Amino acid sequence: MKSARTILERNSALRRVVFGFFAIALAGILLAALSSIARAQSSAQSSTSTNGRTQIVELRIGDEIEPVMAEYVDGGIEEAAKRHASLILITMDTPGGLSTSMEDIIQHILDSPVPVVVYISPAGSRGASAGFFILMSADVAAMAPGTHTGAASPLLAIGGVPLQVDDTLKKKILNDATAFLRSYSAKRGRNVELAESAVTEGKAWTETEALDGKLVDLIANSPEDLLSRLDGRTIKRFDGTTVQLALRNPERVPLPMTLRQQFLSRIVQPDAFFILLIVGVLGLYTEFTHPGMVAPGVIGGISLVLALYAMHILPVAPAGMVLIVLALGLFILEAKYTSHGVLAIGGIVAMLLGALMLVRSPLTHAGVSLGVATGVTLPFALITIFLMRLVLGSRTWKPATGREQLVGTVAEVTTPLEKLTDSEAFQGMVRLHGELWRAVSREAIPAGAHVRVTGIQGLTLHVAPAESPAQGR
């Protein structure tokens, strides 16, 4: 049997190991937050208005179009209106995104009191799918050399898997999308028929093809080239009014995402979502198997809530979730049964496959990277198996508290254990842990001898000579 001291030391070491793991995870989150704060403060300092010059507010759509991105663009348009800016320049490179977020952005662009220029840049960028709709809604649509746009056919998907719909529903979706595109592109002076082909036929165009087809207004090599070519240009707003742009020697004010928006935009990245999901599961699992550690439960609960938030935005595949749950079960079984590593290897393979198919957008094919999947799966497997083996092993440990912990300990005889006339047992007194106990044994034991406790009955210890094998009772 293990002594109470050994058990306490084992528990203490386990707490230190697990607490250290979650402390490192928390430190990483804090460092990332501090880094984002520093970047946000630096950007804010660089965007301070000076000298009352003409202001151009610059925004950037550099990722998928989702609710956080829509909130950022909408806030930037409102900020430009408050600043009485002369122009809003939205630089775009996006594969597309959610139609609801796209419609929100377009509505704010059409209602903006400040002229909006959407510029696909730098070279190699694209304004595909939802990005094409946003490009067509701008007061001025521009592209850099080596860019492309189009491919705006709407898709229905559940869990990242495109759905096959019947012809009637497909026509309804296409007609709704093309009608929405016509509702504003015609007033912008775009080639409506050609623009519709991006929706109905999935066509896409390079910058020169888009310019020749009157989908965009100009091609510019850089933002500076774009602004110089727009200086003095008269544009027609969505409400029919005309505005002449005066952009000579402007003050360019970049508006980055706020710290909150940066944080939320990181969460909805597939890699971040997978890490949050695994940390959440592992944290709660640790807290349930080792109650009272607190930190794993708190960090795990917060991580799972953030993962659930991201799950509402990301196209999460049910098969990926099932494989991850299966992997957790295999890791637990590996700790309980002897499989010579077969169950552990199966769990690792299941979690890797689950991670790789967990998020798979039909628009971007964005998912969890192999490096992140491998780097998270292996530590998760080792920690889960280790914790489960400790839980199963603890069932055989001797209790560390209460009377049961006295069984097996050694005491010193203070009053000889002798046979009384009215009893068949040998009775006396022993000193145990500084306390005097009444003791009985099956043989006479002199004072000063050492005995081992074999059982407890009420306030009486059953003992045997320490030199002889302990006898259970």
Side-chain angles (χ1 to χ4, degrees):
M1 291 186 179
K2 299 179 177 64
S3 67
R5 189 174 188 178
T6 303
I7 296 173
L8 291 174
E9 290 176 352
R10 183 188 289 256
N11 285 337
S12 178
L14 173 61
R15 288 174 184 271
R16 287 196 296 269
V17 170
V18 180
F19 183 78
F21 171 79
F22 284 98
I24 293 174
L26 182 60
I29 295 173
L30 292 176
L31 287 176
L34 290 175
S35 176
S36 298
I37 291 174
R39 289 196 300 268
Q41 289 177 343
S42 175
S43 299
Q45 292 173 357
S46 64
S47 64
T48 304
S49 176
T50 58
N51 301 327
R53 290 183 295 167
T54 298
Q55 286 192 351
I56 297 177
V57 172
E58 297 185 351
L59 308 174
R60 176 158 183 81
I61 299 177
D63 212 329
E64 290 191 45
I65 297 169
E66 32 78 17
V68 179
M69 182 64 71
E71 177 187 317
Y72 160 66
V73 175
D74 298 346
I77 293 175
E78 293 176 2
E79 179 65 21
K82 292 179 182 177
R83 289 172 173 264
H84 302 288
S86 299
L87 189 71
I88 299 172
L89 175 60
I90 301 177
T91 304
M92 184 168 64
D93 177 16
T94 179
L98 301 177
S99 61
T100 53
S101 301
M102 170 200 75
E103 293 168 359
D104 187 13
I105 292 175
I106 291 175
Q107 179 181 355
H108 281 78
I109 290 177
L110 298 180
D111 293 338
S112 172
V114 181
V116 178
V117 176
V118 176
Y119 177 42
I120 301 178
S121 176
S125 300
R126 56 178 169 170
S129 194
F132 176 75
F133 280 82
I134 294 174
L135 180 68
M136 295 295 100
S137 70
D139 292 283
V140 177
M143 299 175 67
T147 58
H148 62 280
T149 187
S153 300
L155 294 175
L156 286 179
I158 294 179
V161 180
L163 297 179
Q164 298 295 331
V165 297
D166 58 55
D167 291 339
T168 302
L169 180 57
K170 183 177 180 180
K171 288 180 180 179
K172 290 177 64 175
I173 295 172
L174 289 177
N175 290 337
D176 179 74
T178 54
F180 177 63
L181 183 62
R182 288 196 306 271
S183 66
Y184 59 83
S185 60
K187 289 190 176 182
R188 294 302 197 191
R190 316 280 186 228
N191 186 335
V192 176
E193 290 75 15
L194 187 61
E196 285 184 338
S197 65
V199 179
T200 57
E201 302 175 32
K203 288 187 176 180
W205 302 274
T206 64
E207 76 283 356
T208 53
E209 293 169 344
L211 181 64
D212 294 340
K214 296 183 179 180
L215 295 175
V216 298
D217 301 298
L218 50 90
I219 299 174
N221 296 321
S222 65
E224 293 75 16
D225 179 37
L226 174 63
L227 295 177
S228 65
R229 297 179 63 177
L230 290 176
D231 183 32
R233 183 174 183 142
T234 300
I235 61 174
K236 185 178 181 180
R237 303 300 314 283
F238 188 73
D239 59 5
T241 62
T242 57
V243 176
Q244 185 176 19
L245 300 177
L247 305 177
R248 187 174 300 278
N249 191 26
E251 178 191 2
R252 296 170 60 180
V253 183
L255 292 183
M257 283 188 171
T258 64
L259 178 60
R260 170 183 168 276
Q261 291 167 345
Q262 291 180 36
F263 179 69
L264 293 179
S265 65
R266 296 295 182 274
I267 291 175
V268 298
Q269 297 299 318
D271 285 345
F273 165 65
F274 176 63
I275 293 174
L276 286 171
L277 180 64
I278 295 303
V279 170
V281 171
L282 183 58
L284 294 184
Y285 172 74
T286 304
E287 187 65 32
F288 289 149
T289 55
H290 297 78
M293 301 193 71
V294 181
V298 172
I299 296 176
I302 294 174
S303 298
L304 270 186
V305 171
L306 295 176
L308 290 174
Y309 166 80
M311 194 180 296
H312 287 293
I313 297 176
L314 292 173
V316 178
M321 292 295 296
V322 171
L323 283 172
I324 290 176
V325 173
L326 173 63
L328 178 61
L330 291 176
F331 294 149
I332 294 175
L333 291 176
E334 171 63 29
K336 188 173 182 179
Y337 301 105
T338 302
S339 70
H340 304 289
V342 175
L343 291 172
I345 294 174
I348 292 173
V349 172
M351 181 163 283
L352 282 174
L353 293 176
L356 295 178
M357 66 174 60
L358 183 62
V359 180
R360 185 62 57 180
S361 169
L363 294 175
T364 65
H365 302 289
V368 178
S369 63
L370 180 60
V372 171
T374 305
V376 173
T377 297
L378 296 180
F380 179 82
L382 294 176
I383 293 174
T384 303
I385 294 173
F386 173 71
L387 291 177
M388 193 61 194
R389 284 188 173 177
L390 287 179
V391 171
L392 295 175
S394 66
R395 297 180 179 179
T396 62
W397 294 354
K398 190 181 74 172
T401 60
R403 292 185 176 184
E404 290 79 3
Q405 68 173 326
L406 300 179
V407 177
T409 58
V410 176
E412 181 182 357
V413 178
T414 59
T415 302
L417 275 71
E418 300 175 342
K419 188 173 184 180
L420 302 180
T421 57
D422 58 347
S423 174
E424 296 182 358
F426 295 82
Q427 302 181 21
M429 301 293 292
V430 299
R431 187 183 302 276
L432 178 64
H433 294 168
E435 302 171 344
L436 290 176
W437 288 76
R438 183 174 177 270
V440 297
S441 71
R442 296 181 179 179
E443 58 184 287
I445 302 175
H450 289 85
V451 294
R452 188 177 303 278
V453 179
T454 60
I456 303 175
Q457 185 174 5
L459 297 177
T460 302
L461 301 180
H462 293 264
V463 299
E467 292 75 17
S468 65
Q471 300 175 11
R473 186 178 179 83

